[in-house]
Amino acid sequence: MGGQSIMIDTSARLPVGRPGTGSGAWDKSTRTLIWIVLLGGIALSPLSDFLSVYALKGQVSGDVGARYSLFLRSVTVAALIASMLLGGRVRLSSWRLCCLAMVTAFMSCVSLTFDDMTGQEFAEELIAIAKVFSLFVYIAAMVQLKDRQLEKVEAVMRMALLVYALAIIAGAVFSIDMFRSYRGDTQIRAGYKGIIYAQNEASALLLTGLALAYLRVLREGWKAKSVIFVATLIAAAFLLGTKGAIVAALGVIAVYSYAKYGALKASVRLAPAVVLVFVAAVTVYFVSPSVRQAVDLSVQYFSYQSDRADGNKIATVLMSSRNVKFANVWNELSSRNFLPLLIGGYPTVRYPIEMDGPDLILIMGIPVFLLYLRRLFRLYVRRGDGSVAKYGRYFFFLLLLIACSAGHVLTSAIVAPYLAVIAEIVRRRSGDERRPIAGRRSKELK
């Protein structure tokens, strides 16, 4: 039998074998180029994000000065696409993904033609579409890397995550105004986002960062560096000041526990851990005046929001008024006979719900969104009963839960490469877990 051909594939269940084998393998120079582009783009990300935050002095707005990070990531994705097109064949499934993106962009063109959105909104919508599908570009690139190259990419990601987390901690310790999560009229709420453009994207980054950290612990066990790294990310998640970051931190811990120990043992282990975290949090609250002031500030903010909310106050506070936004958009959709639900093209940049599921449905339309969701499902949900395969499945459902409630996960350019490397590690390691079983079965047949 001939060697197995490995080509760009971002959706189908990729071969268990490593890249670089067989007649269809990419040449060394092309693979090295892809590797260098990935390393450079990820390594420079903290700098570009800092420049964006510095240009706006911590404010979140549409100013051009905030686009340093977007420029870097656009160049990185474009360079990856060019490298892959020049270096090898593209499988049909990759072209299908390209068609999904083009169909989505075309429906936005239709909305622009019929004056349903302005030219600026159209440009912003195209950027949002590019962000969503950039995940599959990173996946297609990482599939081509050898194990050692992928490990180097993962190592650079850990360094970048450490920079992001330390910036959040430094902002809290030194009260750096530019690093605050909430400024101006919203400064009544405590929290620090560090050098990341917006606190919601910081929450999504910490979700993927912790997932990557715990995935490494699952594969290699606890080491001193892993303990420090995980503790730093968890501290940053609590200092960020968003509900999504705290849920993400606790959720990833649960995903790791259930993947490693199973449902019964994980539940037994998690109970004392949760109690310990609660006791530590209460202790810090009473011991540290600055922490107590920050917590009280956030409690006052949520109480204020609850008093202003109409109807279901609990849901409004927990979802930061996203349920109200959803109701407003739903009323507008009714005036359009709900057509955007079918064909997409709705200008979400004008009034986003800030929940990835509904926003993506409005951009893509339900048929295209279901195809997109199917591709996403295949990235993380792998066959097998090994701990890594279980981790991928549990993480996928946690990812959807946070994306469809807190948002800014699947639509974030900063998170895309981290989601991609998690998916690729799960693919390779879950394949390794299945291999011994397949070997034993073949011997039994003989």
Side-chain angles (χ1 to χ4, degrees):
M1 295 178 64
Q4 188 177 9
S5 176
I6 305 293
M7 296 171 288
I8 306 174
D9 188 359
T10 61
S11 63
R13 296 188 181 275
L14 295 164
V16 173
R18 296 290 187 261
T21 59
S23 58
W26 285 29
D27 60 89
K28 183 179 179 180
S29 59
T30 303
R31 186 182 294 112
T32 302
L33 177 60
I34 293 173
W35 182 55
I36 292 173
V37 171
L38 283 170
L39 291 178
I42 294 165
L44 292 174
S45 292
L47 175 61
S48 66
D49 289 322
F50 169 76
L51 291 175
S52 293
V53 170
Y54 181 78
L56 294 175
K57 298 298 185 290
Q59 297 291 344
V60 179
S61 70
D63 193 276
V64 176
R67 296 308 174 96
Y68 291 105
S69 58
L70 182 61
F71 174 76
L72 173 66
R73 291 179 174 94
S74 298
V75 171
T76 301
V77 170
L80 290 175
I81 292 174
S83 300
M84 290 185 288
L85 288 176
L86 291 173
R89 295 168 290 173
V90 181
R91 293 185 66 171
L92 180 61
S93 56
S94 296
W95 288 116
R96 288 172 182 164
L97 272 171
C98 182
C99 288
L100 289 183
M102 292 178 65
V103 168
T104 304
F106 174 75
M107 295 316 302
S108 295
C109 290
V110 172
S111 295
L112 176 65
T113 303
F114 288 94
D115 296 326
D116 287 335
M117 68 171 69
T118 65
Q120 182 178 354
E121 289 173 344
F122 174 69
E124 294 290 334
E125 196 91 339
L126 290 184
I127 292 173
I129 294 169
K131 288 179 180 179
V132 171
F133 284 94
S134 66
L135 166 63
F136 300 103
V137 176
Y138 284 110
I139 285 287
M142 291 178 185
V143 164
Q144 313 307 323
L145 301 182
K146 293 185 176 180
D147 284 347
R148 293 187 63 181
Q149 291 175 319
L150 188 65
E151 289 170 3
K152 292 292 184 182
V153 171
E154 185 185 359
V156 173
M157 284 186 172
R158 288 196 298 271
M159 293 302 298
L161 287 166
L162 193 60
V163 171
Y164 287 121
L166 289 177
I168 293 173
I169 295 172
V173 172
F174 299 106
S175 298
I176 302 174
D177 190 61
M178 186 174 64
F179 289 175
R180 290 184 184 275
S181 295
Y182 306 92
R183 295 168 53 86
D185 295 336
T186 62
Q187 200 167 342
I188 58 173
R189 184 174 172 184
Y192 290 84
K193 62 183 177 60
I195 59 175
I196 303 174
Y197 179 64
Q199 64 271 13
N200 289 319
E201 284 198 305
S203 299
L205 181 63
L206 289 174
L207 163 67
T208 53
L210 279 167
L212 185 61
Y214 272 100
L215 181 56
R216 187 186 184 205
V217 172
L218 189 67
R219 289 146 44 207
E220 303 177 5
W222 286 102
K223 300 178 182 178
K225 290 183 179 180
S226 298
V227 173
I228 295 172
F229 184 53
V230 168
T232 303
L233 293 180
I234 291 178
F238 278 84
L239 291 172
L240 182 58
T242 64
K243 300 181 292 294
I246 298 175
V247 171
L250 298 177
V252 171
I253 293 173
V255 166
Y256 164 79
S257 301
Y258 281 95
K260 184 173 178 62
Y261 302 110
L264 182 60
K265 289 184 179 179
S267 300
V268 173
R269 288 173 175 265
L270 281 174
V274 171
V275 173
L276 182 62
V277 171
F278 177 76
V279 171
V282 172
T283 302
V284 172
Y285 173 81
F286 285 107
V287 170
S288 174
S290 59
V291 172
R292 185 163 59 252
Q293 182 182 7
V295 173
D296 292 343
L297 205 60
S298 293
V299 170
Q300 293 172 12
Y301 169 80
F302 289 122
S303 298
Y304 172 73
Q305 293 297 322
S306 177
D307 293 337
R308 293 184 59 192
D310 296 328
N312 195 335
K313 295 184 177 182
I314 296 178
T316 301
V317 171
L318 289 177
M319 301 184 68
S320 299
S321 300
R322 287 178 174 85
N323 58 324
V324 177
K325 291 183 176 182
F326 182 87
N328 293 337
V329 171
W330 188 262
N331 290 334
E332 185 177 349
L333 287 173
S334 63
S335 65
R336 303 188 185 191
N337 297 319
F338 300 100
L339 188 60
L341 292 179
L342 180 63
I343 64 174
Y346 185 86
T348 57
V349 294
R350 182 188 305 163
Y351 187 70
I353 300 174
E354 295 190 82
M355 294 189 292
D356 288 349
D359 280 336
L360 289 178
I361 287 175
L362 293 173
I363 294 174
M364 300 177 177
I366 292 177
V368 175
F369 174 75
L370 290 177
L371 292 174
Y372 162 82
L373 193 62
R374 178 174 177 267
R375 303 298 173 100
L376 193 67
F377 175 87
R378 286 188 164 189
L379 292 181
Y380 299 100
V381 180
R382 319 297 303 185
R383 292 192 302 269
D385 295 324
S387 57
V388 174
K390 291 179 181 177
Y391 187 92
R393 291 196 290 269
Y394 297 152
F395 172 72
F396 173 72
F397 292 111
L398 175 65
L399 177 68
L400 285 188
L401 174 65
I402 294 180
C404 293
S405 56
H408 301 276
V409 181
L410 302 176
T411 57
S412 172
I414 190 174
V415 174
Y418 298 91
L419 287 176
V421 79
I422 292 171
E424 180 59 13
I425 292 173
V426 167
R427 181 186 76 84
R428 296 190 186 194
R429 297 300 179 180
S430 60
D432 290 341
E433 290 174 338
R434 292 199 307 271
R435 234 182 242 136
I437 297 175
R440 287 197 301 269
R441 287 179 178 173
S442 63
K443 289 181 180 178
E444 289 174 0
L445 290 174
K446 290 181 180 179

mmCIF file with all atom_site columns, all heavy atoms in Angstrom, residues 228-243:
data_model
loop_
_atom_site.group_PDB
_atom_site.id
_atom_site.type_symbol
_atom_site.label_atom_id
_atom_site.label_alt_id
_atom_site.label_comp_id
_atom_site.label_asym_id
_atom_site.label_entity_id
_atom_site.label_seq_id
_atom_site.pdbx_PDB_ins_code
_atom_site.Cartn_x
_atom_site.Cartn_y
_atom_site.Cartn_z
_atom_site.occupancy
_atom_site.B_iso_or_equiv
_atom_site.pdbx_formal_charge
_atom_site.auth_seq_id
_atom_site.auth_comp_id
_atom_site.auth_asym_id
_atom_site.auth_atom_id
_atom_site.pdbx_PDB_model_num
ATOM 1   N N   . ILE A 1 228 ? 2.339   26.830 38.720 1.00 0.00 ? 228 ILE A N   1
ATOM 2   C CA  . ILE A 1 228 ? 2.486   28.289 38.698 1.00 0.00 ? 228 ILE A CA  1
ATOM 3   C C   . ILE A 1 228 ? 1.685   28.903 37.560 1.00 0.00 ? 228 ILE A C   1
ATOM 4   O O   . ILE A 1 228 ? 1.004   29.925 37.725 1.00 0.00 ? 228 ILE A O   1
ATOM 5   C CB  . ILE A 1 228 ? 3.981   28.669 38.580 1.00 0.00 ? 228 ILE A CB  1
ATOM 6   C CG1 . ILE A 1 228 ? 4.738   28.210 39.825 1.00 0.00 ? 228 ILE A CG1 1
ATOM 7   C CG2 . ILE A 1 228 ? 4.139   30.173 38.381 1.00 0.00 ? 228 ILE A CG2 1
ATOM 8   C CD1 . ILE A 1 228 ? 6.235   28.377 39.718 1.00 0.00 ? 228 ILE A CD1 1
ATOM 9   N N   . PHE A 1 229 ? 1.754   28.258 36.402 1.00 0.00 ? 229 PHE A N   1
ATOM 10  C CA  . PHE A 1 229 ? 1.056   28.767 35.224 1.00 0.00 ? 229 PHE A CA  1
ATOM 11  C C   . PHE A 1 229 ? -0.455  28.761 35.425 1.00 0.00 ? 229 PHE A C   1
ATOM 12  O O   . PHE A 1 229 ? -1.143  29.763 35.175 1.00 0.00 ? 229 PHE A O   1
ATOM 13  C CB  . PHE A 1 229 ? 1.437   27.915 34.010 1.00 0.00 ? 229 PHE A CB  1
ATOM 14  C CG  . PHE A 1 229 ? 0.864   28.395 32.707 1.00 0.00 ? 229 PHE A CG  1
ATOM 15  C CD1 . PHE A 1 229 ? 1.034   29.697 32.282 1.00 0.00 ? 229 PHE A CD1 1
ATOM 16  C CD2 . PHE A 1 229 ? 0.128   27.529 31.897 1.00 0.00 ? 229 PHE A CD2 1
ATOM 17  C CE1 . PHE A 1 229 ? 0.498   30.138 31.083 1.00 0.00 ? 229 PHE A CE1 1
ATOM 18  C CE2 . PHE A 1 229 ? -0.398  27.953 30.691 1.00 0.00 ? 229 PHE A CE2 1
ATOM 19  C CZ  . PHE A 1 229 ? -0.217  29.263 30.291 1.00 0.00 ? 229 PHE A CZ  1
ATOM 20  N N   . VAL A 1 230 ? -0.983  27.649 35.899 1.00 0.00 ? 230 VAL A N   1
ATOM 21  C CA  . VAL A 1 230 ? -2.427  27.529 36.127 1.00 0.00 ? 230 VAL A CA  1
ATOM 22  C C   . VAL A 1 230 ? -2.878  28.511 37.206 1.00 0.00 ? 230 VAL A C   1
ATOM 23  O O   . VAL A 1 230 ? -3.912  29.191 37.061 1.00 0.00 ? 230 VAL A O   1
ATOM 24  C CB  . VAL A 1 230 ? -2.796  26.083 36.514 1.00 0.00 ? 230 VAL A CB  1
ATOM 25  C CG1 . VAL A 1 230 ? -4.232  26.012 37.025 1.00 0.00 ? 230 VAL A CG1 1
ATOM 26  C CG2 . VAL A 1 230 ? -2.616  25.154 35.325 1.00 0.00 ? 230 VAL A CG2 1
ATOM 27  N N   . ALA A 1 231 ? -2.114  28.619 38.287 1.00 0.00 ? 231 ALA A N   1
ATOM 28  C CA  . ALA A 1 231 ? -2.477  29.522 39.374 1.00 0.00 ? 231 ALA A CA  1
ATOM 29  C C   . ALA A 1 231 ? -2.498  30.973 38.887 1.00 0.00 ? 231 ALA A C   1
ATOM 30  O O   . ALA A 1 231 ? -3.380  31.757 39.281 1.00 0.00 ? 231 ALA A O   1
ATOM 31  C CB  . ALA A 1 231 ? -1.493  29.371 40.533 1.00 0.00 ? 231 ALA A CB  1
ATOM 32  N N   . THR A 1 232 ? -1.561  31.337 38.024 1.00 0.00 ? 232 THR A N   1
ATOM 33  C CA  . THR A 1 232 ? -1.513  32.703 37.484 1.00 0.00 ? 232 THR A CA  1
ATOM 34  C C   . THR A 1 232 ? -2.733  33.002 36.632 1.00 0.00 ? 232 THR A C   1
ATOM 35  O O   . THR A 1 232 ? -3.345  34.071 36.740 1.00 0.00 ? 232 THR A O   1
ATOM 36  C CB  . THR A 1 232 ? -0.236  32.894 36.642 1.00 0.00 ? 232 THR A CB  1
ATOM 37  O OG1 . THR A 1 232 ? 0.914   32.612 37.444 1.00 0.00 ? 232 THR A OG1 1
ATOM 38  C CG2 . THR A 1 232 ? -0.132  34.329 36.133 1.00 0.00 ? 232 THR A CG2 1
ATOM 39  N N   . LEU A 1 233 ? -3.122  32.042 35.782 1.00 0.00 ? 233 LEU A N   1
ATOM 40  C CA  . LEU A 1 233 ? -4.295  32.239 34.932 1.00 0.00 ? 233 LEU A CA  1
ATOM 41  C C   . LEU A 1 233 ? -5.581  32.309 35.752 1.00 0.00 ? 233 LEU A C   1
ATOM 42  O O   . LEU A 1 233 ? -6.471  33.118 35.459 1.00 0.00 ? 233 LEU A O   1
ATOM 43  C CB  . LEU A 1 233 ? -4.388  31.109 33.900 1.00 0.00 ? 233 LEU A CB  1
ATOM 44  C CG  . LEU A 1 233 ? -3.294  31.062 32.825 1.00 0.00 ? 233 LEU A CG  1
ATOM 45  C CD1 . LEU A 1 233 ? -3.530  29.890 31.885 1.00 0.00 ? 233 LEU A CD1 1
ATOM 46  C CD2 . LEU A 1 233 ? -3.240  32.359 32.036 1.00 0.00 ? 233 LEU A CD2 1
ATOM 47  N N   . ILE A 1 234 ? -5.694  31.472 36.773 1.00 0.00 ? 234 ILE A N   1
ATOM 48  C CA  . ILE A 1 234 ? -6.897  31.504 37.623 1.00 0.00 ? 234 ILE A CA  1
ATOM 49  C C   . ILE A 1 234 ? -6.980  32.825 38.376 1.00 0.00 ? 234 ILE A C   1
ATOM 50  O O   . ILE A 1 234 ? -8.064  33.432 38.497 1.00 0.00 ? 234 ILE A O   1
ATOM 51  C CB  . ILE A 1 234 ? -6.900  30.307 38.584 1.00 0.00 ? 234 ILE A CB  1
ATOM 52  C CG1 . ILE A 1 234 ? -7.114  28.999 37.806 1.00 0.00 ? 234 ILE A CG1 1
ATOM 53  C CG2 . ILE A 1 234 ? -7.993  30.465 39.643 1.00 0.00 ? 234 ILE A CG2 1
ATOM 54  C CD1 . ILE A 1 234 ? -7.074  27.757 38.663 1.00 0.00 ? 234 ILE A CD1 1
ATOM 55  N N   . ALA A 1 235 ? -5.841  33.295 38.892 1.00 0.00 ? 235 ALA A N   1
ATOM 56  C CA  . ALA A 1 235 ? -5.832  34.590 39.580 1.00 0.00 ? 235 ALA A CA  1
ATOM 57  C C   . ALA A 1 235 ? -6.268  35.705 38.634 1.00 0.00 ? 235 ALA A C   1
ATOM 58  O O   . ALA A 1 235 ? -7.057  36.591 39.004 1.00 0.00 ? 235 ALA A O   1
ATOM 59  C CB  . ALA A 1 235 ? -4.432  34.872 40.127 1.00 0.00 ? 235 ALA A CB  1
ATOM 60  N N   . ALA A 1 236 ? -5.776  35.665 37.397 1.00 0.00 ? 236 ALA A N   1
ATOM 61  C CA  . ALA A 1 236 ? -6.159  36.673 36.404 1.00 0.00 ? 236 ALA A CA  1
ATOM 62  C C   . ALA A 1 236 ? -7.658  36.604 36.105 1.00 0.00 ? 236 ALA A C   1
ATOM 63  O O   . ALA A 1 236 ? -8.312  37.640 35.921 1.00 0.00 ? 236 ALA A O   1
ATOM 64  C CB  . ALA A 1 236 ? -5.348  36.478 35.125 1.00 0.00 ? 236 ALA A CB  1
ATOM 65  N N   . ALA A 1 237 ? -8.206  35.382 36.054 1.00 0.00 ? 237 ALA A N   1
ATOM 66  C CA  . ALA A 1 237 ? -9.634  35.217 35.766 1.00 0.00 ? 237 ALA A CA  1
ATOM 67  C C   . ALA A 1 237 ? -10.495 35.872 36.848 1.00 0.00 ? 237 ALA A C   1
ATOM 68  O O   . ALA A 1 237 ? -11.507 36.514 36.545 1.00 0.00 ? 237 ALA A O   1
ATOM 69  C CB  . ALA A 1 237 ? -9.973  33.731 35.644 1.00 0.00 ? 237 ALA A CB  1
ATOM 70  N N   . PHE A 1 238 ? -10.087 35.738 38.104 1.00 0.00 ? 238 PHE A N   1
ATOM 71  C CA  . PHE A 1 238 ? -10.860 36.335 39.188 1.00 0.00 ? 238 PHE A CA  1
ATOM 72  C C   . PHE A 1 238 ? -10.660 37.845 39.258 1.00 0.00 ? 238 PHE A C   1
ATOM 73  O O   . PHE A 1 238 ? -11.567 38.576 39.656 1.00 0.00 ? 238 PHE A O   1
ATOM 74  C CB  . PHE A 1 238 ? -10.483 35.689 40.520 1.00 0.00 ? 238 PHE A CB  1
ATOM 75  C CG  . PHE A 1 238 ? -11.191 34.379 40.771 1.00 0.00 ? 238 PHE A CG  1
ATOM 76  C CD1 . PHE A 1 238 ? -10.705 33.194 40.243 1.00 0.00 ? 238 PHE A CD1 1
ATOM 77  C CD2 . PHE A 1 238 ? -12.347 34.327 41.526 1.00 0.00 ? 238 PHE A CD2 1
ATOM 78  C CE1 . PHE A 1 238 ? -11.354 31.988 40.459 1.00 0.00 ? 238 PHE A CE1 1
ATOM 79  C CE2 . PHE A 1 238 ? -13.006 33.136 41.756 1.00 0.00 ? 238 PHE A CE2 1
ATOM 80  C CZ  . PHE A 1 238 ? -12.521 31.955 41.217 1.00 0.00 ? 238 PHE A CZ  1
ATOM 81  N N   . LEU A 1 239 ? -9.492  38.324 38.871 1.00 0.00 ? 239 LEU A N   1
ATOM 82  C CA  . LEU A 1 239 ? -9.223  39.762 38.896 1.00 0.00 ? 239 LEU A CA  1
ATOM 83  C C   . LEU A 1 239 ? -9.834  40.483 37.705 1.00 0.00 ? 239 LEU A C   1
ATOM 84  O O   . LEU A 1 239 ? -9.977  41.704 37.733 1.00 0.00 ? 239 LEU A O   1
ATOM 85  C CB  . LEU A 1 239 ? -7.715  40.021 38.922 1.00 0.00 ? 239 LEU A CB  1
ATOM 86  C CG  . LEU A 1 239 ? -6.995  39.623 40.211 1.00 0.00 ? 239 LEU A CG  1
ATOM 87  C CD1 . LEU A 1 239 ? -5.484  39.748 40.038 1.00 0.00 ? 239 LEU A CD1 1
ATOM 88  C CD2 . LEU A 1 239 ? -7.464  40.493 41.373 1.00 0.00 ? 239 LEU A CD2 1
ATOM 89  N N   . LEU A 1 240 ? -10.192 39.737 36.664 1.00 0.00 ? 240 LEU A N   1
ATOM 90  C CA  . LEU A 1 240 ? -10.764 40.346 35.466 1.00 0.00 ? 240 LEU A CA  1
ATOM 91  C C   . LEU A 1 240 ? -12.096 41.031 35.769 1.00 0.00 ? 240 LEU A C   1
ATOM 92  O O   . LEU A 1 240 ? -12.426 42.068 35.184 1.00 0.00 ? 240 LEU A O   1
ATOM 93  C CB  . LEU A 1 240 ? -10.940 39.280 34.386 1.00 0.00 ? 240 LEU A CB  1
ATOM 94  C CG  . LEU A 1 240 ? -11.483 39.728 33.034 1.00 0.00 ? 240 LEU A CG  1
ATOM 95  C CD1 . LEU A 1 240 ? -10.588 40.795 32.411 1.00 0.00 ? 240 LEU A CD1 1
ATOM 96  C CD2 . LEU A 1 240 ? -11.600 38.534 32.097 1.00 0.00 ? 240 LEU A CD2 1
ATOM 97  N N   . GLY A 1 241 ? -12.865 40.437 36.671 1.00 0.00 ? 241 GLY A N   1
ATOM 98  C CA  . GLY A 1 241 ? -14.095 41.081 37.093 1.00 0.00 ? 241 GLY A CA  1
ATOM 99  C C   . GLY A 1 241 ? -15.325 40.735 36.290 1.00 0.00 ? 241 GLY A C   1
ATOM 100 O O   . GLY A 1 241 ? -16.387 41.327 36.491 1.00 0.00 ? 241 GLY A O   1
ATOM 101 N N   . THR A 1 242 ? -15.230 39.765 35.374 1.00 0.00 ? 242 THR A N   1
ATOM 102 C CA  . THR A 1 242 ? -16.397 39.349 34.595 1.00 0.00 ? 242 THR A CA  1
ATOM 103 C C   . THR A 1 242 ? -16.910 38.000 35.108 1.00 0.00 ? 242 THR A C   1
ATOM 104 O O   . THR A 1 242 ? -16.125 37.165 35.575 1.00 0.00 ? 242 THR A O   1
ATOM 105 C CB  . THR A 1 242 ? -16.059 39.208 33.103 1.00 0.00 ? 242 THR A CB  1
ATOM 106 O OG1 . THR A 1 242 ? -15.102 38.151 32.930 1.00 0.00 ? 242 THR A OG1 1
ATOM 107 C CG2 . THR A 1 242 ? -15.476 40.502 32.547 1.00 0.00 ? 242 THR A CG2 1
ATOM 108 N N   . LYS A 1 243 ? -18.203 37.818 34.997 1.00 0.00 ? 243 LYS A N   1
ATOM 109 C CA  . LYS A 1 243 ? -18.790 36.537 35.411 1.00 0.00 ? 243 LYS A CA  1
ATOM 110 C C   . LYS A 1 243 ? -18.306 35.411 34.511 1.00 0.00 ? 243 LYS A C   1
ATOM 111 O O   . LYS A 1 243 ? -18.079 34.290 34.958 1.00 0.00 ? 243 LYS A O   1
ATOM 112 C CB  . LYS A 1 243 ? -20.318 36.638 35.365 1.00 0.00 ? 243 LYS A CB  1
ATOM 113 C CG  . LYS A 1 243 ? -20.902 37.705 36.270 1.00 0.00 ? 243 LYS A CG  1
ATOM 114 C CD  . LYS A 1 243 ? -22.415 37.744 36.208 1.00 0.00 ? 243 LYS A CD  1
ATOM 115 C CE  . LYS A 1 243 ? -22.911 38.229 34.841 1.00 0.00 ? 243 LYS A CE  1
ATOM 116 N NZ  . LYS A 1 243 ? -22.547 39.652 34.573 1.00 0.00 ? 243 LYS A NZ  1
#
